[in-house]
């Protein structure tokens, strides 16, 4: 059996057009519960919600956060409303060139690691203070705090896994009270960026494969299986971890990501993910 979670300002208006029973209702969201997984009505409901520009996801009936122990999230354009390398590049006067390269990388058109190195080369000579300025520009994505607070309240450990940069991830993780981060690192010498980048701890660049391996190791360190993990991101670099997670969510994802993810948030904030779990519905109206 499955539940259908519909989220958005017109969710209740859509519900009035559907011939369904056993519905939970709360502001901006409805949950249609206990449908037979083979019911033809599921596709009809999903299509209707998408036409109404609502977020809609089909989840396991009674899906509980108690079955999960870890969540890993991309940072740029997922946890924060920013592509950090583009912001740094803009400060240094090479913004347009780097932004175009970033877009190609996130669409999956270029191999991530060498393309990241090519972009970072354009930052050579920039004062290290650009990183501090980018931290100031790193506004949280709507719903980020609600999502992380929900996870913490239910004992789920949270980590940033990002192809972005450690100095910025550290600040974001601390702001949200997350458990840690694994990211790439800009090399700095004499107060300036050298135009070089390394992976975590000076190792290999954290790319899509690296993110998946990091997820595997974090699960093992926390005594968990991959099926007990939740992952979300927007770009091609997030594909592998999204595919192997127990719940993998494309968040405002590029087409290559959305077509491969079992779950998607197209319109709302990260807090849409909270409503996947029955614990978020304890105060809902149930009919």
């Amino acid at each position: 059996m499955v539940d259908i979670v519909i989220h958005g300002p017109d969710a209740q208006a859509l519900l009035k057009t559907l011939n369904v029973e056993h519905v939970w209702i709360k502001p901006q969201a409805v949950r249609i519960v206990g449908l037979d997984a083979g019911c033809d009505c599921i596709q009809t409901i999903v299509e209707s919600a998408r036409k109404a520009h609502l977020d809609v996801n089909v989840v396991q009936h009674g899906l509980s956060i108690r079955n999960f122990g870890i969540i890993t999230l991309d940072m740029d354009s997922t946890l924060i409303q920013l592509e950090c390398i583009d912001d740094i590049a803009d400060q240094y006067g090479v913004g347009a060139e780097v932004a175009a390269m970033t877009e190609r990388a996130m669409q999956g058109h270029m191999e991530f690691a060498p393309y990241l190195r090519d972009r970072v080369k354009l930052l050579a000579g920039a004062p290290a203070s650009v990183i501090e300025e980018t931290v100031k520009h790193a506004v949280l994505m709507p719903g980020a705090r609600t999502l992380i607070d929900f996870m913490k309240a239910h004992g789920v450990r949270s980590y940033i896994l990002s192809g972005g940069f450690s100095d910025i991830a550290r600040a974001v993780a601390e702001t949200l009270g997350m458990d840690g981060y694994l990211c790439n690192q800009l090399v700095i010498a004499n107060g300036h960026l050298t135009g070089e980048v390394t992976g975590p701890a000076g190792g290999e660049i954290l790319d899509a494969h690296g993110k998946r391996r990091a997820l595997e190791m974090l699960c093992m360190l926390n005594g968990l299986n991959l099926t007990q993990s939740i992952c979300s991101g927007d770009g091609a670099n997030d594909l592998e971890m999204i595919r192997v997670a127990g719940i993998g969510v494309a968040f405002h994802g590029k087409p290559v990501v959305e077509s491969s993810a079992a779950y998607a948030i197209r319109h709302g904030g990260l807090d849409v993910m909270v409503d996947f779990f029955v614990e978020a519905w304890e105060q809902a109206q149930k009919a």
Side-chain angles (χ1 to χ4, degrees):
M1 298 182 76
V2 299
D3 297 351
I4 302 178
V5 180
I6 303 172
H7 201 284
D10 296 325
Q12 292 188 36
L14 175 68
L15 182 62
K16 294 177 181 178
T17 70
L18 304 175
N19 183 24
V20 294
E21 300 177 346
H22 308 300
V23 178
W24 300 352
I25 302 171
K26 66 180 190 176
Q28 305 247 357
V30 299
R31 186 183 189 108
I32 303 167
V33 300
L35 293 172
D36 187 306
C39 180
D40 293 338
C41 65
I42 294 173
Q43 188 59 35
T44 300
I45 294 169
V46 168
E47 290 176 358
S48 297
R50 287 177 177 168
K51 287 179 181 177
H53 304 291
L54 299 169
D55 284 306
V56 55
N57 286 277
V58 180
V59 303
Q60 177 187 344
H61 175 55
L63 184 67
S64 173
I65 193 62
R66 292 191 298 271
N67 296 326
F68 299 88
I70 188 172
I71 182 169
T72 63
L73 296 150
D74 179 40
M75 180 172 67
D76 296 14
S77 299
T78 299
L79 270 177
I80 60 174
Q81 302 177 56
L82 190 69
E83 287 290 337
C84 292
I85 192 169
D86 295 355
D87 187 82
I88 293 170
D90 190 56
Q91 294 178 58
Y92 193 49
V94 292
E97 185 175 357
V98 170
M101 296 170 73
T102 299
E103 179 63 18
R104 288 194 292 272
M106 292 302 97
Q107 293 284 357
H109 299 318
M110 306 296 293
E111 189 176 349
F112 183 82
Y115 212 47
L116 177 63
R117 293 190 185 96
D118 288 345
R119 285 179 285 163
V120 172
K121 284 178 184 177
L122 297 175
L123 306 179
S129 59
V130 296
I131 298 174
E132 297 174 9
E133 195 64 26
T134 293
V135 169
K136 296 176 184 178
H137 298 166
V139 176
L140 293 177
M141 191 67 69
R145 192 174 296 279
T146 298
L147 174 65
I148 298 304
D149 285 350
F150 177 83
M151 295 298 163
K152 288 194 290 185
H154 291 89
V156 177
R157 298 180 71 82
S158 58
Y159 299 88
I160 295 172
L161 293 185
S162 174
F165 307 124
S166 56
D167 292 308
I168 302 154
R170 181 186 305 113
V172 174
E174 289 176 353
T175 296
L176 289 169
M178 298 175 72
D179 292 284
Y181 57 92
L182 285 169
C183 302
N184 295 315
Q185 297 179 300
L186 292 169
V187 179
I188 299 172
N190 301 317
H192 291 79
L193 305 188
T194 67
E196 299 168 292
V197 60
T198 74
E204 294 184 9
I205 296 293
L206 194 69
D207 57 8
H209 178 72
K211 285 191 180 187
R212 194 200 75 224
R213 292 291 292 156
L215 172 63
E216 292 168 352
M217 288 183 277
L218 285 171
C219 283
M220 185 172 182
L221 288 171
N222 285 284
L224 301 167
N225 188 281
L226 285 169
T227 59
Q228 296 171 282
S229 68
I230 304 163
C231 297
S232 186
D234 70 300
N237 201 33
D238 304 306
L239 265 177
E240 290 197 31
M241 72 171 183
I242 287 174
R243 284 172 175 162
V244 300
I247 291 183
V249 184
F251 181 76
H252 295 227
K254 305 297 187 289
V256 67
V257 182
E258 190 169 301
S259 64
S260 299
Y263 307 90
I265 298 172
R266 296 177 173 88
H267 308 289
L270 286 167
D271 53 328
V272 171
M273 213 181 305
V274 172
D275 283 336
F276 289 7
F277 306 101
V278 293
E279 288 81 2
W281 297 83
E282 291 174 353
Q283 305 301 317
Q285 175 188 340
K286 299 178 180 179

